[in-house]
Amino acid sequence: MSEKKPSLIEGFKAFLMRGNVIDLAVAVVIGAAFTNIVNAVVKGVINPLVGAFGTKNLDSYSSCLKDPCEIVDGEMQGIQIMWGSVLGATLQFLITAAVVYFLMVLPMAKYLARREAQRKEKEGVQETLEVTELEVLKEIRDALVAQRGTGDQAGPSTSADRG
């Protein structure tokens, strides 16, 4: 008999119910909320700090590649390079990466390392117990051999000796 193939809907439902898809969806939602926080930090803290040395709006920093860089009749004349926008986006990226690393990645790595050390410690204790049990069994064997040896100096008997 042939097995029934899952329908397209059942396959899609199984795909959605896998843990990694749910985790990914949660990560995207949290990432979107986190982006708002980073944008607020950049606009509320970083831009004013940069503004202490120039203008508060990083987007206004630019250079003119081809003169004249001025607006005539609502159109930009010349070629303007908006390096301030790139600087702002780079700062936002670096802040996001630093916060993610120091508040999420680093603590998780330390936690996982601690759990691994505890797991290895437990394995070490179990190995020690196993070695101790093995040593006890060897001692019992040696004691039994010694008891047999005191009554019969020839050593342990074999079936050929008995018969």
Side-chain angles (χ1 to χ4, degrees):
M1 296 205 164
S2 65
E3 293 182 22
K4 180 184 173 190
K5 289 186 177 181
S7 72
L8 189 61
I9 301 294
E10 290 172 347
F12 184 67
K13 182 180 176 185
F15 169 74
L16 288 178
M17 298 313 286
R18 275 196 265 167
N20 55 357
V21 174
I22 303 299
D23 291 343
L24 182 61
V26 169
V28 167
V29 170
I30 289 175
F34 184 68
T35 299
N36 291 332
I37 294 171
V38 171
N39 288 339
V41 168
V42 169
K43 288 180 182 175
V45 177
I46 302 297
N47 286 354
L49 289 175
V50 172
F53 303 103
T55 178
K56 192 173 177 180
N57 184 6
L58 291 180
D59 292 338
S60 66
Y61 289 107
S62 64
S63 297
C64 192
L65 189 62
K66 183 178 176 187
D67 288 330
C69 280
E70 51 190 40
I71 299 175
V72 178
D73 296 330
E75 242 181 79
M76 174 60 72
Q77 302 294 313
I79 300 173
Q80 188 176 23
I81 305 295
M82 304 293 292
W83 59 270
S85 299
V86 175
L87 178 63
T90 302
L91 287 172
Q92 283 182 333
F93 171 77
L94 290 175
I95 291 169
T96 303
V99 170
V100 166
Y101 180 76
F102 289 112
L103 295 182
M104 295 176 190
V105 173
L106 195 61
M108 182 58 76
K110 287 182 180 180
Y111 170 74
L112 292 175
R114 200 174 325 121
R115 279 189 55 193
E116 182 67 18
Q118 289 173 347
R119 185 187 65 79
K120 285 183 178 180
E121 185 179 303
K122 284 182 181 178
E123 284 179 3
V125 169
Q126 289 175 352
E127 287 176 9
T128 304
L129 291 177
E130 290 173 6
V131 169
T132 304
E133 290 174 9
L134 184 61
E135 289 174 359
V136 168
L137 290 173
K138 285 180 182 179
E139 289 176 10
I140 292 171
R141 179 201 63 201
D142 293 343
L144 290 172
V145 169
Q147 282 179 353
R148 281 192 187 158
T150 57
D152 181 17
Q153 296 298 328
S157 63
T158 62
S159 60
D161 293 338
R162 287 185 219 130

